[in-house]
Amino acid sequence: FIRFNIKSYEWLGRDQNHDNMEKKFGMTTTEEKIGFSVKLGTSFDSALEQVSEALKDQGFGVLTEIDVQATLKEKLDVDFQPYRILGACNPSLAYEALGIMPQVGLLLPCNVTVAQISDEQVEISFLDPMLMMGITDDPSLQPVAEIAKEKLLRAAATLEEA
């Protein structure tokens, strides 16, 4: 994932500027191409609340919440840092995308992770919706993916400003 200050520059992701982005920021790994992240100096619970609110402000609801820490403890009896996977959905964008290509539901909802990376820091990572453009061959999905990405970038910017 790219870690960046949203106020300083926009993350361009896998759009027409992707090659320039790779050169400028040295993007070479798969992780750096699939999303964008912000770090918050707050508690895990506070970060969860903040990200849910930031998503809501952009028209996304959290449909699913997977508690990875609890699941790994229950299934494997291993300790893991607090980590949640949120399934965020913007109903109007999902409806539009599904109307274009019903199989795009396999790529929904947009995943957002909340991970405790230290005692005083939480990382929020957002999957780049433009990835579906690399998986599907329907260019009519591009505007929907671009709007979703823009809204997720705004949610990330809101978190960074808090």
Side-chain angles (χ1 to χ4, degrees), residues 12 14 20 22 24 27 47-48 55 63 78 85 89 96 100 105 107 122 129 152 161:
L12 302 174
R14 292 189 66 150
N20 292 337
E22 281 190 342
K24 184 174 181 181
M27 291 172 53
L48 272 175
L55 288 166
L63 300 179
V78 296
I85 302 171
C89 179
E96 188 174 349
I100 295 167
L107 304 173
V122 178
L152 291 173
E161 293 167 2

Side-chain angles (χ1 to χ4, degrees), residues 130-144:
M130 294 301 293
L131 285 176
M132 82 172 125
M133 295 312 302
I135 295 171
T136 68
D137 58 358
D138 191 334
S140 57
L141 284 169
Q142 178 133 1
V144 179

Side-chain angles (χ1 to χ4, degrees), residues 47-143:
L48 272 175
E49 290 177 25
Q50 289 178 46
V51 74
S52 293
E53 191 61 35
L55 288 166
K56 181 179 175 184
D57 289 346
Q58 294 302 318
F60 290 85
V62 175
L63 300 179
T64 61
E65 184 173 326
I66 301 168
D67 186 336
V68 174
Q69 180 187 39
T71 301
L72 292 176
K73 187 65 175 174
E74 178 185 334
K75 302 292 184 185
L76 301 176
D77 195 28
V78 296
D79 294 323
F80 197 74
Q81 77 268 19
Y83 192 104
R84 301 279 169 85
I85 302 171
L86 307 177
C89 179
N90 181 302
S92 61
L93 294 176
Y95 177 74
E96 188 174 349
L98 290 165
I100 295 167
M101 176 185 277
Q103 299 82 0
V104 82
L106 294 167
L107 304 173
L108 300 177
C110 295
N111 281 334
V112 178
T113 61
V114 181
Q116 184 85 45
I117 56 175
S118 74
D119 288 342
E120 300 170 2
Q121 203 165 44
V122 178
E123 182 174 59
I124 313 297
S125 300
F126 300 81
L127 179 69
D128 184 354
M130 294 301 293
L131 285 176
M132 82 172 125
M133 295 312 302
I135 295 171
T136 68
D137 58 358
D138 191 334
S140 57
L141 284 169
Q142 178 133 1

